[in-house]
Amino acid sequence: MDNLQIENNILETIKTAFKVEGKVVREKRVEITAHKQLISSILLFAKNQHNYIHLNHITCVDWIEDGEFEINYIIWSPTTKNTLIIKTRISRENAQMENIDNIWDQANTYEREMREMYGIEFPGLIGEHEFILEDWDEMPPMRRDFDTLEYATKTFYQRPGREDAKDVREELTKQSGEEIPEFAKKYSREK
Amino acid sequence: MEKETTLYIGPQHPGITGNMMVKLKVTGDTISSASTHVGYLHRAFEKLIERRNWLQSFTILCRFCVPEPDPMELTYARAVEEIEGREVPERAEYIRTIVMELARIQSFMLWYGGQSGSSGLYLVGQWSVGDRNYILDLFEDLTGGRVYHMYIWPGGVRRDLPEGWKDKALKTMDYLEKRLDEYDKLMFDSTIFQKRAQGVGIIPKDKAIEWGVVGAPLRGTGIKHDVRIDEPYCAYDKLNFIVPTQEGGDVWARALVRRQEIRQSISIIRQALDKMPAGEFYNKIPNPMKWSIPAGSAWVKTESVRGEVGFYVESDGSNKPRRVHVKGAAYTHGVTVLEKILVGQNIADVSFILNSLGVCPPEIER
């Protein structure tokens, strides 16, 4: 573990300062799991004390089974060339997370995207409500319970006059004498 | 006092690097504020991936950024390999390196066209896009596809180098190297280009990393950061190459960095072809329809022409990704960085600056 000395030092410093759990994933990767109220303090600590001045990414994972969203803050230090991943979980109900665009300007873009795609609110977030989607009044689409098939069926329909269009695969299989594989039959137009 | 006017550039505009819009507030010809608007190309790639198995995702991944699809394939494949703990044969690592550098060169060729075209030097683009076809020929021989390849898979690459491909690749490198001198005469020696590029779109060195700047724009400020060196992957740690930097942080510095990087890419391809070991090229995966990846997550980065490409991949142990979140260079370059550096610039320089930052809009909205 000698070659992971830098990673272990960073992990221990943050664990000691904030009483959080974490691990060294591999060379140049440290992962911390913290309560959502500690996130901005840990980010500021990492930025000011360990020179993690580069915000790489903020990502969200929907754990619908647990009723939670996982938000991951990924930051990078040009001094040690190390990446620190800080994970937290928030409730899916009235999802709200602290706004950190006062620490990094570009966090604003990520937060606007998460607000739109997952419905997570960031109090104090400035920026137009519409970022990628236009006139969207459905459920935030990146949530796991958003049914893409139902939405597509409802929104996009057969062009009038093409109701009797034949399924090309059906026609081809009839001509060639082959069979459509079992797993593909559910997509067949002929019910 | 002059009146402030709102001006919209894009989404349909020859100077915009894709389907996006920049909303400007201008006083005379000078920009006083800028904001980026995306959403004209949103196809819910990341959502679609959640409904596909680990291998089917490749058909979507390569479409995140048309000018440079291969870094997306590689980054995803590496993330899957990291979660699963799958080894990659050494020969495959060399082939991947060659593919990545070919992808860089063909993307540079497109950039030549965009960067010079936005200053009125259209001939450079006509030549470079023509020469890019020789790289696409190599890709076609190797992968079967010219633009989208789906060639790099978890565990290696889909097929080995075809017979005679090495010689053809070396000849193409020799040809392109000679052509670079011609491009220099047309573009870098041109007073028009120099005057347009120098002192325009400056990114301050002391703010660059904090603003999220990566790739050639970061190296154009004098900061030496390249994922291929800082976190080596493929066979980059076994090859010799330098990471060019320039001072100034302007369009000119970014262009000079890219100019030097093409020559480095040619050198890397020659070395990789020379040192490539024999052996397996693919650590075969199980039946893709039944292939599950153990639960876990990975954050993996790759250096593309536009800068760092990062993939956050999460698996819940099933045969489909739980989440694939892509961070391309354009996500920061095309929004917050662009909005900052456009202030005080001339309207005519918007597309010039956009090209120098390597903004690829689908990478923002995915």
Side-chain angles (χ1 to χ4, degrees), chain B residues 107-163:
Chain B
S107 186
F108 278 130
M109 295 294 179
L110 282 179
W111 164 81
Y112 261 126
Q115 191 70 77
S116 57
S118 54
S119 59
L121 303 170
Y122 299 113
L123 185 61
V124 188
Q126 288 163 9
W127 283 11
S128 68
V129 172
D131 285 340
R132 174 175 173 262
N133 275 301
Y134 294 115
I135 304 283
L136 301 189
D137 287 347
L138 290 175
F139 273 131
E140 193 174 357
D141 290 351
L142 184 63
T143 71
R146 292 181 76 78
V147 178
Y148 299 131
H149 309 130
M150 290 163 261
Y151 174 70
I152 297 171
W153 277 6
V157 293
R158 258 195 303 135
R159 57 180 287 206
D160 206 349
L161 301 185
E163 206 180 317

Short mmCIF file of all heavy atoms in Angstrom, two decimals, chain B residues 107-163:
data_model
loop_
_atom_site.label_atom_id
_atom_site.label_comp_id
_atom_site.label_asym_id
_atom_site.label_seq_id
_atom_site.Cartn_x
_atom_site.Cartn_y
_atom_site.Cartn_z
N SER B 107 -9.97 14.20 -36.11
CA SER B 107 -10.69 15.29 -35.47
C SER B 107 -9.93 16.62 -35.63
O SER B 107 -10.53 17.68 -35.81
CB SER B 107 -10.89 14.95 -33.99
OG SER B 107 -11.69 15.91 -33.38
N PHE B 108 -8.60 16.54 -35.57
CA PHE B 108 -7.78 17.73 -35.83
C PHE B 108 -8.05 18.27 -37.23
O PHE B 108 -8.10 19.47 -37.46
CB PHE B 108 -6.28 17.38 -35.73
CG PHE B 108 -5.74 17.35 -34.33
CD1 PHE B 108 -5.00 16.28 -33.87
CD2 PHE B 108 -5.95 18.42 -33.46
CE1 PHE B 108 -4.49 16.25 -32.59
CE2 PHE B 108 -5.44 18.40 -32.18
CZ PHE B 108 -4.71 17.32 -31.73
N MET B 109 -8.20 17.33 -38.17
CA MET B 109 -8.45 17.73 -39.56
C MET B 109 -9.76 18.51 -39.68
O MET B 109 -9.85 19.48 -40.43
CB MET B 109 -8.50 16.50 -40.47
CG MET B 109 -7.19 15.76 -40.56
SD MET B 109 -5.95 16.77 -41.36
CE MET B 109 -4.53 15.74 -41.33
N LEU B 110 -10.76 18.06 -38.94
CA LEU B 110 -12.04 18.80 -38.95
C LEU B 110 -11.87 20.15 -38.28
O LEU B 110 -12.42 21.17 -38.70
CB LEU B 110 -13.12 18.00 -38.22
CG LEU B 110 -13.76 16.84 -38.97
CD1 LEU B 110 -14.77 16.15 -38.09
CD2 LEU B 110 -14.45 17.32 -40.25
N TRP B 111 -11.08 20.14 -37.19
CA TRP B 111 -10.86 21.40 -36.48
C TRP B 111 -10.14 22.42 -37.39
O TRP B 111 -10.48 23.60 -37.39
CB TRP B 111 -10.02 21.16 -35.20
CG TRP B 111 -9.44 22.42 -34.66
CD1 TRP B 111 -10.08 23.34 -33.89
CD2 TRP B 111 -8.12 22.93 -34.90
NE1 TRP B 111 -9.23 24.39 -33.62
CE2 TRP B 111 -8.03 24.17 -34.23
CE3 TRP B 111 -7.01 22.47 -35.60
CZ2 TRP B 111 -6.87 24.94 -34.25
CZ3 TRP B 111 -5.86 23.24 -35.62
CH2 TRP B 111 -5.80 24.45 -34.96
N TYR B 112 -9.15 21.93 -38.17
CA TYR B 112 -8.46 22.81 -39.12
C TYR B 112 -9.50 23.56 -39.97
O TYR B 112 -9.41 24.77 -40.16
CB TYR B 112 -7.60 21.98 -40.08
CG TYR B 112 -6.13 21.92 -39.74
CD1 TYR B 112 -5.47 20.70 -39.61
CD2 TYR B 112 -5.39 23.08 -39.60
CE1 TYR B 112 -4.12 20.63 -39.33
CE2 TYR B 112 -4.04 23.02 -39.31
CZ TYR B 112 -3.41 21.80 -39.17
OH TYR B 112 -2.08 21.76 -38.90
N GLY B 113 -10.48 22.78 -40.47
CA GLY B 113 -11.50 23.37 -41.33
C GLY B 113 -12.34 24.40 -40.60
O GLY B 113 -12.56 25.51 -41.09
N GLY B 114 -12.80 24.05 -39.40
CA GLY B 114 -13.65 24.95 -38.63
C GLY B 114 -12.92 26.21 -38.20
O GLY B 114 -13.43 27.33 -38.34
N GLN B 115 -11.71 26.01 -37.69
CA GLN B 115 -10.95 27.16 -37.16
C GLN B 115 -10.53 28.13 -38.26
O GLN B 115 -10.64 29.34 -38.11
CB GLN B 115 -9.72 26.65 -36.40
CG GLN B 115 -9.01 27.70 -35.58
CD GLN B 115 -9.81 28.14 -34.37
OE1 GLN B 115 -9.89 27.48 -33.38
NE2 GLN B 115 -10.42 29.31 -34.45
N SER B 116 -10.07 27.56 -39.38
CA SER B 116 -9.62 28.46 -40.44
C SER B 116 -10.83 29.05 -41.19
O SER B 116 -10.83 30.22 -41.55
CB SER B 116 -8.72 27.71 -41.42
OG SER B 116 -9.42 26.61 -41.93
N GLY B 117 -11.87 28.21 -41.36
CA GLY B 117 -13.06 28.69 -42.07
C GLY B 117 -13.72 29.85 -41.35
O GLY B 117 -14.23 30.78 -41.99
N SER B 118 -13.68 29.83 -40.02
CA SER B 118 -14.32 30.93 -39.28
C SER B 118 -13.50 32.22 -39.36
O SER B 118 -13.93 33.26 -38.85
CB SER B 118 -14.59 30.53 -37.83
OG SER B 118 -13.42 30.07 -37.22
N SER B 119 -12.31 32.15 -39.97
CA SER B 119 -11.58 33.40 -40.22
C SER B 119 -11.52 33.69 -41.72
O SER B 119 -10.76 34.55 -42.17
CB SER B 119 -10.17 33.35 -39.62
OG SER B 119 -9.45 32.29 -40.19
N GLY B 120 -12.28 32.93 -42.51
CA GLY B 120 -12.36 33.20 -43.94
C GLY B 120 -11.38 32.43 -44.78
O GLY B 120 -11.36 32.56 -46.00
N LEU B 121 -10.53 31.59 -44.15
CA LEU B 121 -9.54 30.83 -44.92
C LEU B 121 -10.13 29.46 -45.27
O LEU B 121 -9.81 28.45 -44.65
CB LEU B 121 -8.25 30.65 -44.09
CG LEU B 121 -7.58 31.93 -43.60
CD1 LEU B 121 -6.48 31.61 -42.61
CD2 LEU B 121 -7.00 32.72 -44.77
N TYR B 122 -11.00 29.45 -46.24
CA TYR B 122 -11.76 28.23 -46.53
C TYR B 122 -10.93 27.11 -47.15
O TYR B 122 -11.28 25.94 -47.04
CB TYR B 122 -12.96 28.55 -47.43
CG TYR B 122 -13.92 29.53 -46.79
CD1 TYR B 122 -14.09 30.82 -47.28
CD2 TYR B 122 -14.63 29.16 -45.65
CE1 TYR B 122 -14.94 31.72 -46.67
CE2 TYR B 122 -15.50 30.05 -45.03
CZ TYR B 122 -15.64 31.32 -45.56
OH TYR B 122 -16.48 32.20 -44.93
N LEU B 123 -9.86 27.47 -47.83
CA LEU B 123 -9.09 26.45 -48.56
C LEU B 123 -8.52 25.39 -47.61
O LEU B 123 -8.47 24.21 -47.94
CB LEU B 123 -7.96 27.12 -49.35
CG LEU B 123 -7.15 26.18 -50.24
CD1 LEU B 123 -8.04 25.53 -51.28
CD2 LEU B 123 -6.02 26.93 -50.91
N VAL B 124 -8.09 25.85 -46.41
CA VAL B 124 -7.48 24.90 -45.45
C VAL B 124 -8.46 23.77 -45.15
O VAL B 124 -8.10 22.59 -45.15
CB VAL B 124 -7.09 25.62 -44.13
CG1 VAL B 124 -6.30 24.69 -43.24
CG2 VAL B 124 -6.32 26.88 -44.41
N GLY B 125 -9.71 24.14 -44.89
CA GLY B 125 -10.73 23.15 -44.58
C GLY B 125 -10.98 22.19 -45.74
O GLY B 125 -11.17 21.00 -45.54
N GLN B 126 -10.97 22.75 -46.95
CA GLN B 126 -11.20 21.89 -48.12
C GLN B 126 -10.10 20.83 -48.25
O GLN B 126 -10.35 19.68 -48.58
CB GLN B 126 -11.30 22.74 -49.39
CG GLN B 126 -12.61 23.52 -49.44
CD GLN B 126 -12.58 24.67 -50.43
OE1 GLN B 126 -11.65 24.81 -51.20
NE2 GLN B 126 -13.59 25.51 -50.38
N TRP B 127 -8.87 21.25 -47.98
CA TRP B 127 -7.75 20.31 -48.04
C TRP B 127 -7.82 19.30 -46.88
O TRP B 127 -7.68 18.12 -47.08
CB TRP B 127 -6.41 21.06 -47.94
CG TRP B 127 -6.01 21.74 -49.20
CD1 TRP B 127 -6.78 21.93 -50.31
CD2 TRP B 127 -4.74 22.33 -49.47
NE1 TRP B 127 -6.07 22.62 -51.26
CE2 TRP B 127 -4.82 22.87 -50.78
CE3 TRP B 127 -3.56 22.47 -48.77
CZ2 TRP B 127 -3.75 23.53 -51.37
CZ3 TRP B 127 -2.49 23.11 -49.34
CH2 TRP B 127 -2.58 23.64 -50.65
N SER B 128 -8.01 19.84 -45.66
CA SER B 128 -7.90 18.97 -44.49
C SER B 128 -9.04 17.95 -44.44
O SER B 128 -8.83 16.80 -44.06
CB SER B 128 -7.86 19.79 -43.20
OG SER B 128 -9.09 20.41 -42.97
N VAL B 129 -10.25 18.37 -44.83
CA VAL B 129 -11.36 17.42 -44.83
C VAL B 129 -11.13 16.35 -45.91
O VAL B 129 -11.47 15.18 -45.73
CB VAL B 129 -12.72 18.15 -45.01
CG1 VAL B 129 -13.85 17.15 -45.21
CG2 VAL B 129 -13.00 19.01 -43.78
N GLY B 130 -10.51 16.75 -47.00
CA GLY B 130 -10.14 15.78 -48.03
C GLY B 130 -9.11 14.79 -47.49
O GLY B 130 -9.26 13.57 -47.64
N ASP B 131 -8.08 15.31 -46.81
CA ASP B 131 -7.03 14.44 -46.26
C ASP B 131 -7.57 13.55 -45.14
O ASP B 131 -7.07 12.45 -44.91
CB ASP B 131 -5.86 15.29 -45.73
CG ASP B 131 -5.02 15.85 -46.87
OD1 ASP B 131 -5.11 15.28 -47.98
OD2 ASP B 131 -4.30 16.84 -46.66
N ARG B 132 -8.58 14.05 -44.44
CA ARG B 132 -9.19 13.26 -43.35
C ARG B 132 -9.73 11.94 -43.89
O ARG B 132 -9.76 10.94 -43.18
CB ARG B 132 -10.32 14.09 -42.73
CG ARG B 132 -11.14 13.35 -41.69
CD ARG B 132 -12.14 14.30 -41.06
NE ARG B 132 -13.06 13.62 -40.17
CZ ARG B 132 -14.28 13.23 -40.49
NH1 ARG B 132 -14.74 13.46 -41.71
NH2 ARG B 132 -15.05 12.62 -39.63
N ASN B 133 -10.13 11.95 -45.16
CA ASN B 133 -10.67 10.74 -45.74
C ASN B 133 -9.66 9.58 -45.77
O ASN B 133 -10.06 8.43 -45.74
CB ASN B 133 -11.18 11.01 -47.16
CG ASN B 133 -12.60 11.53 -47.13
OD1 ASN B 133 -13.49 10.87 -46.62
ND2 ASN B 133 -12.80 12.74 -47.62
N TYR B 134 -8.36 9.93 -45.81
CA TYR B 134 -7.37 8.85 -45.77
C TYR B 134 -7.38 8.14 -44.41
O TYR B 134 -7.13 6.94 -44.32
CB TYR B 134 -5.96 9.40 -46.08
CG TYR B 134 -5.85 9.91 -47.50
CD1 TYR B 134 -5.62 11.25 -47.77
CD2 TYR B 134 -6.00 9.03 -48.58
CE1 TYR B 134 -5.55 11.72 -49.08
CE2 TYR B 134 -5.92 9.48 -49.88
CZ TYR B 134 -5.70 10.83 -50.12
OH TYR B 134 -5.64 11.28 -51.42
N ILE B 135 -7.66 8.93 -43.37
CA ILE B 135 -7.78 8.32 -42.02
C ILE B 135 -9.06 7.47 -41.98
O ILE B 135 -9.06 6.37 -41.44
CB ILE B 135 -7.85 9.41 -40.93
CG1 ILE B 135 -6.65 10.35 -41.00
CG2 ILE B 135 -8.01 8.79 -39.55
CD1 ILE B 135 -5.39 9.81 -40.43
N LEU B 136 -10.13 8.01 -42.55
CA LEU B 136 -11.39 7.26 -42.55
C LEU B 136 -11.24 5.96 -43.34
O LEU B 136 -11.85 4.95 -43.01
CB LEU B 136 -12.53 8.11 -43.11
CG LEU B 136 -12.83 9.42 -42.37
CD1 LEU B 136 -14.13 10.03 -42.89
CD2 LEU B 136 -12.92 9.24 -40.87
N ASP B 137 -10.40 5.99 -44.41
CA ASP B 137 -10.13 4.75 -45.16
C ASP B 137 -9.49 3.70 -44.24
O ASP B 137 -9.84 2.53 -44.28
CB ASP B 137 -9.16 5.02 -46.32
CG ASP B 137 -9.85 5.78 -47.46
OD1 ASP B 137 -11.09 5.86 -47.45
OD2 ASP B 137 -9.13 6.30 -48.34
N LEU B 138 -8.54 4.17 -43.42
CA LEU B 138 -7.89 3.25 -42.48
C LEU B 138 -8.91 2.67 -41.50
O LEU B 138 -8.90 1.49 -41.19
CB LEU B 138 -6.78 3.98 -41.70
CG LEU B 138 -5.53 4.40 -42.47
CD1 LEU B 138 -4.61 5.21 -41.58
CD2 LEU B 138 -4.79 3.16 -42.99
N PHE B 139 -9.79 3.55 -41.03
CA PHE B 139 -10.83 3.09 -40.10
C PHE B 139 -11.75 2.07 -40.78
O PHE B 139 -12.14 1.08 -40.17
CB PHE B 139 -11.66 4.27 -39.60
CG PHE B 139 -11.08 4.95 -38.39
CD1 PHE B 139 -10.94 6.33 -38.33
CD2 PHE B 139 -10.69 4.20 -37.28
CE1 PHE B 139 -10.41 6.95 -37.21
CE2 PHE B 139 -10.17 4.82 -36.15
CZ PHE B 139 -10.02 6.18 -36.13
N GLU B 140 -12.06 2.33 -42.03
CA GLU B 140 -12.96 1.42 -42.74
C GLU B 140 -12.33 0.03 -42.89
O GLU B 140 -13.00 -0.99 -42.68
CB GLU B 140 -13.31 2.01 -44.11
CG GLU B 140 -14.47 1.29 -44.76
CD GLU B 140 -14.92 1.95 -46.05
OE1 GLU B 140 -14.37 3.01 -46.43
OE2 GLU B 140 -15.83 1.41 -46.68
N ASP B 141 -11.04 0.04 -43.22
CA ASP B 141 -10.35 -1.25 -43.35
C ASP B 141 -10.30 -1.99 -42.02
O ASP B 141 -10.40 -3.21 -41.96
CB ASP B 141 -8.90 -1.03 -43.83
CG ASP B 141 -8.87 -0.56 -45.28
OD1 ASP B 141 -9.94 -0.58 -45.91
OD2 ASP B 141 -7.79 -0.15 -45.75
N LEU B 142 -10.11 -1.22 -40.95
CA LEU B 142 -9.92 -1.83 -39.63
C LEU B 142 -11.24 -2.25 -38.97
O LEU B 142 -11.34 -3.30 -38.37
CB LEU B 142 -9.18 -0.83 -38.72
CG LEU B 142 -8.80 -1.28 -37.32
CD1 LEU B 142 -7.82 -2.44 -37.38
CD2 LEU B 142 -8.18 -0.13 -36.54
N THR B 143 -12.25 -1.39 -39.11
CA THR B 143 -13.46 -1.59 -38.29
C THR B 143 -14.71 -1.86 -39.12
O THR B 143 -15.72 -2.29 -38.57
CB THR B 143 -13.74 -0.33 -37.44
OG1 THR B 143 -14.18 0.72 -38.30
CG2 THR B 143 -12.51 0.13 -36.70
N GLY B 144 -14.66 -1.53 -40.40
CA GLY B 144 -15.85 -1.68 -41.24
C GLY B 144 -16.67 -0.40 -41.33
O GLY B 144 -17.56 -0.29 -42.15
N GLY B 145 -16.38 0.56 -40.48
CA GLY B 145 -17.12 1.83 -40.50
C GLY B 145 -16.18 3.00 -40.70
O GLY B 145 -15.00 2.93 -40.33
N ARG B 146 -16.66 4.06 -41.28
CA ARG B 146 -15.80 5.22 -41.50
C ARG B 146 -15.85 6.18 -40.31
O ARG B 146 -14.83 6.59 -39.79
CB ARG B 146 -16.21 5.96 -42.79
CG ARG B 146 -15.92 5.16 -44.04
CD ARG B 146 -16.30 5.90 -45.29
NE ARG B 146 -15.37 6.95 -45.66
CZ ARG B 146 -14.20 6.75 -46.25
NH1 ARG B 146 -13.79 5.53 -46.51
NH2 ARG B 146 -13.42 7.76 -46.57
N VAL B 147 -17.06 6.57 -39.89
CA VAL B 147 -17.17 7.56 -38.81
C VAL B 147 -17.43 6.87 -37.47
O VAL B 147 -16.71 7.07 -36.50
CB VAL B 147 -18.27 8.59 -39.13
CG1 VAL B 147 -18.42 9.59 -37.99
CG2 VAL B 147 -17.93 9.34 -40.41
N TYR B 148 -18.49 6.05 -37.40
CA TYR B 148 -18.79 5.32 -36.17
C TYR B 148 -18.21 3.92 -36.28
O TYR B 148 -18.45 3.24 -37.29
CB TYR B 148 -20.30 5.24 -35.96
CG TYR B 148 -20.97 6.57 -35.83
CD1 TYR B 148 -22.11 6.88 -36.56
CD2 TYR B 148 -20.46 7.54 -34.96
CE1 TYR B 148 -22.73 8.11 -36.43
CE2 TYR B 148 -21.07 8.77 -34.83
CZ TYR B 148 -22.20 9.05 -35.57
OH TYR B 148 -22.81 10.27 -35.44
N HIS B 149 -17.51 3.48 -35.25
CA HIS B 149 -16.78 2.22 -35.39
C HIS B 149 -17.28 1.08 -34.52
O HIS B 149 -17.31 -0.05 -34.95
CB HIS B 149 -15.30 2.48 -35.12
CG HIS B 149 -14.77 3.62 -35.92
ND1 HIS B 149 -14.06 4.65 -35.38
CD2 HIS B 149 -14.92 3.92 -37.23
CE1 HIS B 149 -13.78 5.53 -36.32
NE2 HIS B 149 -14.29 5.12 -37.45
N MET B 150 -17.64 1.39 -33.27
CA MET B 150 -18.03 0.34 -32.31
C MET B 150 -17.00 -0.79 -32.35
O MET B 150 -17.34 -1.97 -32.46
CB MET B 150 -19.44 -0.18 -32.63
CG MET B 150 -20.50 0.84 -32.31
SD MET B 150 -22.07 0.48 -33.09
CE MET B 150 -22.01 1.55 -34.51
N TYR B 151 -15.77 -0.41 -32.33
CA TYR B 151 -14.64 -1.34 -32.53
C TYR B 151 -13.99 -1.69 -31.19
O TYR B 151 -13.55 -2.82 -30.99
CB TYR B 151 -13.64 -0.66 -33.47
CG TYR B 151 -12.35 -1.40 -33.67
CD1 TYR B 151 -12.33 -2.60 -34.38
CD2 TYR B 151 -11.16 -0.91 -33.15
CE1 TYR B 151 -11.14 -3.28 -34.58
CE2 TYR B 151 -9.96 -1.58 -33.35
CZ TYR B 151 -9.96 -2.76 -34.05
OH TYR B 151 -8.78 -3.43 -34.24
N ILE B 152 -13.94 -0.69 -30.29
CA ILE B 152 -13.35 -0.95 -28.97
C ILE B 152 -14.44 -1.50 -28.07
O ILE B 152 -15.46 -0.83 -27.85
CB ILE B 152 -12.74 0.35 -28.39
CG1 ILE B 152 -11.61 0.85 -29.30
CG2 ILE B 152 -12.28 0.14 -26.97
CD1 ILE B 152 -11.08 2.21 -28.95
N TRP B 153 -14.25 -2.70 -27.59
CA TRP B 153 -15.23 -3.34 -26.72
C TRP B 153 -14.60 -3.69 -25.39
O TRP B 153 -13.38 -3.79 -25.30
CB TRP B 153 -15.74 -4.64 -27.39
CG TRP B 153 -16.81 -4.41 -28.39
CD1 TRP B 153 -17.28 -3.22 -28.83
CD2 TRP B 153 -17.54 -5.41 -29.09
NE1 TRP B 153 -18.26 -3.41 -29.75
CE2 TRP B 153 -18.45 -4.75 -29.93
CE3 TRP B 153 -17.54 -6.80 -29.09
CZ2 TRP B 153 -19.34 -5.42 -30.76
CZ3 TRP B 153 -18.42 -7.47 -29.92
CH2 TRP B 153 -19.31 -6.80 -30.74
N PRO B 154 -15.42 -3.92 -24.36
CA PRO B 154 -14.83 -4.37 -23.08
C PRO B 154 -14.03 -5.64 -23.32
O PRO B 154 -14.52 -6.58 -23.94
CB PRO B 154 -16.05 -4.63 -22.20
CG PRO B 154 -17.13 -3.76 -22.76
CD PRO B 154 -16.88 -3.71 -24.23
N GLY B 155 -12.80 -5.62 -22.88
CA GLY B 155 -11.95 -6.80 -23.05
C GLY B 155 -10.99 -6.69 -24.22
O GLY B 155 -10.17 -7.58 -24.43
N GLY B 156 -11.05 -5.64 -24.98
CA GLY B 156 -10.12 -5.48 -26.09
C GLY B 156 -10.72 -4.77 -27.28
O GLY B 156 -11.42 -3.77 -27.13
N VAL B 157 -10.45 -5.32 -28.47
CA VAL B 157 -11.02 -4.76 -29.70
C VAL B 157 -11.69 -5.89 -30.47
O VAL B 157 -11.44 -7.06 -30.22
CB VAL B 157 -9.94 -4.07 -30.56
CG1 VAL B 157 -9.40 -2.84 -29.88
CG2 VAL B 157 -8.81 -5.02 -30.90
N ARG B 158 -12.56 -5.52 -31.42
CA ARG B 158 -13.38 -6.52 -32.10
C ARG B 158 -12.60 -7.45 -33.03
O ARG B 158 -12.95 -8.59 -33.21
CB ARG B 158 -14.48 -5.82 -32.90
CG ARG B 158 -15.82 -5.87 -32.22
CD ARG B 158 -16.94 -5.51 -33.14
NE ARG B 158 -16.80 -4.21 -33.75
CZ ARG B 158 -17.02 -3.99 -35.04
NH1 ARG B 158 -17.36 -4.99 -35.83
NH2 ARG B 158 -16.91 -2.77 -35.53
N ARG B 159 -11.59 -6.92 -33.68
CA ARG B 159 -10.81 -7.75 -34.59
C ARG B 159 -9.37 -7.27 -34.66
O ARG B 159 -9.08 -6.13 -34.27
CB ARG B 159 -11.44 -7.77 -36.00
CG ARG B 159 -11.61 -6.40 -36.61
CD ARG B 159 -12.23 -6.47 -37.97
NE ARG B 159 -11.29 -6.98 -38.95
CZ ARG B 159 -11.36 -6.69 -40.25
NH1 ARG B 159 -12.31 -5.90 -40.71
NH2 ARG B 159 -10.49 -7.17 -41.10
N ASP B 160 -8.52 -8.12 -35.16
CA ASP B 160 -7.09 -7.78 -35.24
C ASP B 160 -6.84 -6.89 -36.47
O ASP B 160 -7.71 -6.72 -37.31
CB ASP B 160 -6.29 -9.08 -35.33
CG ASP B 160 -4.88 -8.89 -34.79
OD1 ASP B 160 -4.49 -7.73 -34.55
OD2 ASP B 160 -4.17 -9.90 -34.63
N LEU B 161 -5.62 -6.36 -36.55
CA LEU B 161 -5.27 -5.54 -37.71
C LEU B 161 -5.32 -6.40 -38.98
O LEU B 161 -4.76 -7.50 -39.00
CB LEU B 161 -3.85 -4.98 -37.57
CG LEU B 161 -3.54 -4.09 -36.36
CD1 LEU B 161 -2.12 -3.55 -36.48
CD2 LEU B 161 -4.52 -2.94 -36.24
N PRO B 162 -5.99 -5.94 -40.04
CA PRO B 162 -6.01 -6.73 -41.28
C PRO B 162 -4.63 -6.78 -41.93
O PRO B 162 -3.76 -5.95 -41.64
CB PRO B 162 -7.00 -5.97 -42.17
CG PRO B 162 -7.51 -4.83 -41.40
CD PRO B 162 -6.71 -4.69 -40.15
N GLU B 163 -4.46 -7.70 -42.82
CA GLU B 163 -3.17 -7.85 -43.50
C GLU B 163 -2.88 -6.61 -44.34
O GLU B 163 -3.76 -6.11 -45.04
CB GLU B 163 -3.25 -9.09 -44.41
CG GLU B 163 -1.90 -9.73 -44.67
CD GLU B 163 -2.04 -10.94 -45.57
OE1 GLU B 163 -2.98 -11.72 -45.35
OE2 GLU B 163 -1.21 -11.05 -46.50
#
